[in-house]
Structure formats: structure tokens, C-alpha cells
Amino acid sequence: YSVSENPSTASRTGTMTIAGKTFTLNEAGLSCSYAISPAGQTFDPNGGSGSLTVTALSGCAWNSLSNVSWISIASGGTGSGNGSINFSVGTNAGSVSRTGTVTVGGKAFVVTQNGAPQYTLSVTKNGTGTGSVTSAPAGNTFVSGTGVTLTAAPNAGSTFPGWSGACTGTSPNCSVTMNNNLSATATFNLKTYTITANADANGTISPSGTITVNYGTAQGFAVIPNAGYQVADVKVIGVSIGAGRS
């Protein structure tokens, strides 16, 4: 006699009757095996959704399991025989790529997600004055899409006339979004003051007229009487400092 292949996973029993006698034959069922398609999928940093199909014999039960929190099973957590699994991948906010798996019937579906690109924010200062520029968050390299606020603060004796480059305007605060490499320049200038110097008709003062002087800078003057005259008095902001010549 011959026994045909059992297409099911369930065992089965048959008999043959010979001269009134029963011959019983037991045939085991097929062992369950599983196949998945495709073998994996790659995602960008924004994540998304995906699916895979499961091929198995009727009656072969299976379940799906993610080994990382950023891969979520949307449907197809359990099944029997042929089926499908739908899943979602979260956003990768880091700069390093990562890998996770969805395991079904001992088969691993590999999910690879690329890291977000990083960009550099370059900050420079120029001008005749001094000051500081702070960044929130701190640093100069940021993951794509990061919002960064720069704050310019002039030192005593300096002014902040404004930004150039990625930042514009005269507000000390500037916000940028890091979607590419950026550079910003903060200008700090020294405060300036004016001194108005003059003498009467019988002498001169040098320099004379309106003189512009930077903050913290000393300015000297020479007081020169005409022939036959002498310095009688020198006043600064209306206050006499004596009859000096300088």
C-alpha cells in the first residue's frame, strides 16, 4: 500500500480491512513553518508605516513581536495560516541610524531607520565694540529641524546695532531653524560721545569744534594764547579746572 502526503498540520487516521480484520494507519501532520516577505524595510528620520506578509500552513498559529518601542504593531499581532502585519515607525530625533525587528514565527523582519542630518550654526562678532552671543539650546551643531535662539548682549560701553547673515534686524534675540548650515554675525560698536571745544578771540584750543570720542578713550586738548595773552581759565562742562594749557 502507499500513503499520500498529509497537506495539513493535523494528524489523521485511516484503516484497511483485510479478511474482516482492520489494519489501522496513523499519519502525522506537517510541522508548521513560516515565511515573511519582504525581509525588511528602511525608513527616513520621519518614520512612517509599513507592512509584511506571512505565509504559513492552515492551522499554524503565529504572533508578531517588536523588540523596540519605536516600532508599533498596528494590526496583525496574532494570526493563523497566511496573513499580514501592519506596523508604524516613530520619528528618529537623533543623528544616529537605528535598527529594530518584528519577529514572526521565528523569522525576523528588519527595520532600519536613518538618523536625522546635522547642521552647523556659525556665530561671529565684529565691530569696534565687544559683547557676547548665547545660544539656546547651547552648542553649534544641531539635528535637522531644531529651533535655535541666539541672544546678543553688548558689554558696558558698547552698543548692538544689529545682525547680519542668517539673522537680521536690530532685536537682540534671533530665532533660526536648522534645516541647513547657517552663519550669523552680531555687530558690537563702542559707544561714542562728542566734545565741543572752543576758545575766545584771544587764543585757540586744539582740536576745536565738535570732536567724536569712543567710550573709554581719553582726548587731550592744547590751549594756546595769542601773542601778548595768557590763559586765564579753562572750563570743562562749565566747571573751572584752572589756567592750564592742556
Side-chain angles (χ1 to χ4, degrees):
Y1 63 91
S2 64
V3 180
S4 61
E5 179 182 357
N6 183 355
S8 170
T9 57
S11 61
R12 61 185 181 179
T13 300
T15 62
M16 294 188 293
T17 301
I18 307 168
K21 303 297 183 179
T22 301
F23 176 83
T24 302
L25 187 142
N26 297 311
E27 184 179 17
L30 291 172
S31 298
C32 286
S33 61
Y34 305 90
I36 60 173
S37 178
Q41 189 173 350
T42 299
F43 289 83
D44 64 27
N46 296 321
S49 59
S51 64
L52 64 144
T53 59
V54 182
T55 302
L57 293 172
S58 176
C60 288
W62 47 264
N63 60 12
S64 56
L65 179 65
S66 166
N67 73 334
V68 290
S69 61
W70 48 273
I71 302 176
S72 301
I73 305 300
S75 64
T78 59
S80 180
N82 296 333
S84 62
I85 298 167
N86 296 303
F87 63 91
S88 61
V89 175
T91 300
N92 185 0
S95 60
V96 179
S97 62
R98 58 187 182 180
T99 301
T101 59
V102 176
T103 302
V104 185
K107 303 295 183 180
F109 177 86
V110 180
V111 176
T112 301
Q113 187 177 29
N114 297 323
Q118 289 188 310
Y119 298 106
T120 299
L121 175 59
S122 300
V123 179
T124 56
K125 297 180 287 185
N126 69 7
T128 59
T130 60
S132 62
V133 178
T134 57
S135 170
N140 57 8
T141 302
F142 303 95
V143 172
S144 176
T146 301
V148 181
T149 298
L150 299 177
T151 302
N155 292 340
S158 293
T159 62
F160 174 70
W163 299 95
S164 60
C167 292
T168 58
T170 58
S171 171
N173 297 319
C174 168
S175 297
V176 296
T177 301
M178 298 304 298
N179 289 323
N180 46 51
N181 293 326
L182 299 175
S183 61
T185 299
T187 298
F188 299 101
N189 287 332
L190 284 174
K191 292 180 180 179
T192 58
Y193 302 91
T194 58
I195 301 174
T196 302
N198 57 74
D200 64 18
N202 299 315
T204 59
I205 185 168
S206 178
S208 64
T210 300
I211 300 95
T212 301
V213 183
N214 287 334
Y215 171 90
T217 301
Q219 176 65 52
F221 293 88
V223 180
I224 307 166
N226 291 342
Y229 290 85
Q230 64 181 9
V231 178
D233 191 22
V234 177
K235 293 181 179 179
V236 178
I237 319 179
V239 178
S240 174
I241 63 169
R245 287 201 174 194
S246 61

